[in-house]
Amino acid sequence: MKRLAVSLIVLAFFASLVAAPSYDSVIRVGSDQNPTTMDPAMYQDLASAQVMRNVFETLVAYDADVKQIHPLLAESWEVSPDLKEWTFKLRKGVRFQKGKFQDGREVTAEDVKYSFERAITISPMVRLYMVDHVEVLDRYTVKVVLKYPYAPFLTVLTDVGAAIVPKEECEGWKDQFTLHPVGTGPFKMVEWVKDSHMVFERNEDYWGERPYLKQIIYKFIPDKSVLTMALLSGEVDITSDVLDQDIPKLNANPNVQAMAVGGCNVYAVYMNSMKGPTTDKRVREAFFRGIDIEQLVKVIFPNGTGIAAYGPIPPGSWAYNPNVKSFYTGYDPEKAKQLLKEAGYDGKPVKMTIYTPEDPNRRKAAVIIQSMLKKVGFEIEVQSLEWGSFTAVTSKADADAYTIGWTWYPDPEFFIFYMFHSSRKGTYGNGGGYNNPEVDRLIELGESSVDQEQRTQYYRKAEELIMKDLYYFPLWHKLVVNGVNKKVRGYKPSPDMMIRLYAPGTNVWVEK
């Protein structure tokens, strides 16, 4: 009994050391990417999606683990047996933030109809391409009718690209809405200095649980190693996407920690299927045969935060195939040389340009690939471009090859459809112009089935065909690693690389 009493006293002592959450803390988030827009319909990049989640909300939302979908602006929903009609009951009493053209009015079903129709009309990503039309059934009930059965529709609606926006503000500001964003979210944007920082303040009229954070400041520092130094010096409290080489620096500092979670991502080289040397399958196979992917990944991730990839579906997806390596075309440099001779490159190199964005890992990978392939007969130029120029070149099949990074939700649809369905030619996802009718058919079967096991088999078969076509050279899957000051409470990294400060089950604060 005496020992138990002592234990209780010790527990009470340590409990007293953990401060209670406060409502007056400020958090500073360091990011290596600049947002390009604050208009949900227009965004195409992770950095924009991340900051927009402070201001805008969707009908449903993922938690920080990106496993469970929770009600948000919709409190419930029903779907017809044929997966074509989705009916949502809206939460009553939710109000938009006050803006220039409306004074914080209530959100209704008409706003859902307006927001979806607007996104369908102007979104460069055409995220709601599967929607046929939207019907307002009453003030708080809306039905979304799809063009065809589409199983992952609820997941699509978690994306901030499907956020609910007020018509008055969108039409009042027109293309300036991005500078005056108004939504229903827990924070309001109060300052945006492009290429420098953004400031968000708590929405005191927010309908949900009150956020602990009073203010969020994003600082944009394009160099990831400089970003790590900013964390170590106390300039920021959380950093995005820590480089593998910087992990030891974090581990050596008692005030910060590297927080990691398995990522739902894949990095790869996408080859051009419409013009240039890679239209010859023998050249593409020589590309595969000339690269030792295991060695490449060891060089880039010496601290083990990345693993070699052998297909486009990542381990974080429920459709991941543990046997994917069995249909991967492996390293064989002598075979590569022979293939290039057969393709007519006897004595002359295959000249290609690989484009990369300003991502140090992808730039480094391109240089390693350049070196490895030189030994088998390629002469590769590496071009590194800022993000806007990079996507402009790559989405139009103007690159011989480019390095692509793709992170999204665990449903395989987001890794197979967006990168390999022929309807996505001309977008960053399918910038190589890939077109295989049988892959299209399998994707469409996967979309229309309600049975997850059956869907898994369709997507895995599509993945096998994609790897046999040899246009897509997988590089790696990596852990999502955030650098976090130990004063930050209630935070955990998300597999989709979003830094979620407020989400279902998450309400972050900073201890003083």
Side-chain angles (χ1 to χ4, degrees):
M1 180 62 74
K2 183 177 180 181
R3 178 173 295 178
L4 176 60
V6 171
S7 299
L8 290 173
I9 291 170
V10 170
L11 286 172
F13 171 74
F14 281 109
S16 69
L17 296 179
V18 180
S22 69
Y23 287 93
D24 62 350
S25 56
V26 175
I27 197 166
R28 298 156 300 169
V29 180
S31 173
D32 63 307
Q33 293 186 13
N34 281 297
T36 57
T37 182
M38 280 296 291
D39 185 337
M42 300 303 293
Y43 97 91
Q44 302 187 71
D45 57 288
L46 180 74
S48 297
Q50 182 162 284
V51 294
M52 281 194 292
R53 288 183 182 280
N54 295 311
V55 175
F56 298 102
E57 293 183 308
T58 44
L59 296 183
V60 292
Y62 269 115
D63 54 21
D65 295 322
V66 196
K67 292 188 181 301
Q68 297 295 323
I69 293 177
H70 296 257
L72 197 59
L73 296 183
E75 61 182 8
S76 64
W77 55 87
E78 294 179 350
V79 57
S80 62
D82 66 359
L83 296 175
K84 290 183 66 176
E85 295 185 354
W86 298 69
T87 303
F88 297 88
K89 286 282 187 185
L90 300 186
R91 194 182 299 276
K92 296 179 181 176
V94 175
R95 294 186 175 277
F96 285 115
Q97 299 164 4
K98 294 178 182 177
K100 180 177 180 181
F101 300 97
Q102 53 80 45
D103 194 26
R105 66 167 177 79
E106 188 180 29
V107 176
T108 71
E110 289 287 355
D111 294 306
V112 178
K113 178 178 171 65
Y114 172 76
S115 300
F116 285 6
E117 289 177 348
R118 178 175 184 266
I120 291 167
T121 303
I122 68 172
S123 168
M125 291 286 284
V126 202
R127 288 184 174 82
L128 295 175
Y129 62 88
M130 73 294 294
V131 174
D132 183 79
H133 65 278
V134 183
E135 300 174 11
V136 174
L137 302 186
D138 61 41
R139 183 174 175 83
Y140 301 107
T141 310
V142 62
K143 179 193 288 185
V144 184
V145 180
L146 307 186
K147 296 173 183 172
Y148 44 83
Y150 189 76
F153 185 58
L154 213 55
T155 303
V156 170
L157 296 187
T158 68
D159 192 285
V160 74
I164 309 307
V165 294
K167 178 179 179 178
E168 302 93 317
E169 301 294 332
C170 293
E171 299 197 352
W173 287 110
K174 301 187 186 306
D175 60 357
Q176 294 296 299
F177 180 64
T178 183
L179 300 176
H180 306 276
V182 171
T184 62
F187 296 93
K188 299 183 288 187
M189 190 182 85
V190 296
E191 186 176 38
W192 182 5
V193 179
K194 292 209 172 187
D195 301 328
S196 174
H197 65 274
M198 298 178 87
V199 180
F200 297 83
E201 291 182 352
R202 182 169 55 221
N203 174 13
E204 298 294 355
D205 299 321
Y206 183 58
W207 61 270
E209 180 186 6
R210 190 183 186 203
Y212 290 134
L213 293 170
K214 179 176 66 176
Q215 190 178 71
I216 304 171
I217 301 171
Y218 291 88
K219 295 191 174 186
F220 306 116
I221 303 172
D223 187 306
K224 294 187 182 188
S225 288
V226 176
L227 200 55
T228 293
M229 295 308 295
L231 176 72
L232 295 175
S233 69
E235 182 181 348
V236 298
D237 303 302
I238 296 182
T239 61
S240 60
D241 198 21
V242 175
L243 289 175
D244 184 274
Q245 67 200 44
D246 289 337
I247 299 291
K249 297 176 189 172
L250 299 189
N251 290 339
N253 188 307
N255 299 321
V256 302
Q257 57 187 323
M259 298 183 73
V261 67
C264 207
N265 60 56
V266 61
Y267 292 77
V269 175
Y270 217 133
M271 288 182 252
N272 199 322
S273 67
M274 302 174 72
K275 57 189 175 185
T278 55
T279 53
D280 188 326
K281 190 170 185 178
R282 292 167 296 188
V283 172
R284 300 197 303 276
E285 183 175 347
F287 191 99
F288 272 72
R289 297 290 189 188
I291 300 171
D292 184 344
I293 189 60
E294 299 280 352
Q295 183 60 32
L296 183 150
V297 169
K298 282 181 185 175
V299 171
I300 294 181
F301 300 102
N303 294 294
T305 62
I307 60 170
Y310 298 101
I313 300 177
S317 170
W318 43 259
Y320 175 70
N321 185 351
N323 298 316
V324 65
K325 192 175 179 180
S326 65
F327 44 78
Y328 175 80
T329 301
Y331 178 57
D332 186 342
E334 293 307 314
K335 177 72 173 175
K337 294 175 186 174
Q338 178 190 332
L339 286 162
L340 291 187
K341 282 185 182 177
E342 292 172 5
Y345 291 95
D346 192 5
K348 59 179 182 179
V350 180
K351 295 187 176 181
M352 289 175 55
T353 301
I354 295 180
Y355 290 83
T356 80
E358 295 171 313
D359 172 344
N361 282 344
R362 280 191 263 176
R363 282 204 306 265
K364 194 171 182 179
V367 171
I368 294 171
I369 288 170
Q370 179 187 50
S371 174
M372 287 181 172
L373 289 184
K374 184 177 181 180
K375 296 174 183 174
V376 299
F378 285 83
E379 184 177 309
I380 289 181
E381 180 183 354
V382 176
Q383 283 269 359
S384 183
L385 303 176
E386 59 85 23
W387 183 251
S389 301
F390 173 73
T391 54
V393 170
T394 57
S395 62
K396 298 174 184 172
D398 286 338
D400 295 325
Y402 66 100
T403 62
I404 186 170
W406 203 256
T407 182
W408 219 331
Y409 305 120
D411 194 304
E413 172 78 356
F414 300 95
F415 292 89
I416 298 295
F417 171 80
Y418 282 91
M419 288 199 276
F420 302 107
H421 195 280
S422 60
S423 66
R424 303 306 291 183
K425 288 166 65 175
T427 68
Y428 168 61
N430 188 359
Y434 182 78
N435 183 357
N436 182 328
E438 179 60 10
V439 170
D440 282 357
R441 189 183 75 85
L442 289 163
I443 293 171
E444 288 156 15
L445 287 170
E447 292 173 343
S448 60
S449 174
V450 295
D451 183 87
Q452 184 165 307
E453 179 54 35
Q454 193 174 42
R455 293 188 67 208
T456 297
Q457 297 310 315
Y458 289 137
Y459 289 113
R460 284 184 178 176
K461 183 59 182 175
E463 181 180 47
E464 183 176 349
L465 295 179
I466 290 161
M467 292 311 298
K468 285 182 177 176
D469 284 336
L470 299 171
Y471 286 105
Y472 181 87
F473 182 83
L475 292 171
W476 60 72
H477 309 292
K478 67 177 185 178
L479 294 178
V480 174
V481 186
N482 296 139
V484 184
N485 190 300
K486 290 182 178 177
K487 291 184 177 179
V488 175
R489 302 295 182 193
Y491 178 75
K492 57 181 173 181
S494 295
D496 61 357
M497 298 181 76
M498 290 281 177
I499 293 180
R500 287 178 166 82
L501 303 175
Y502 187 95
T506 297
N507 193 353
V508 170
W509 59 289
V510 182
E511 187 178 325
K512 290 188 176 177

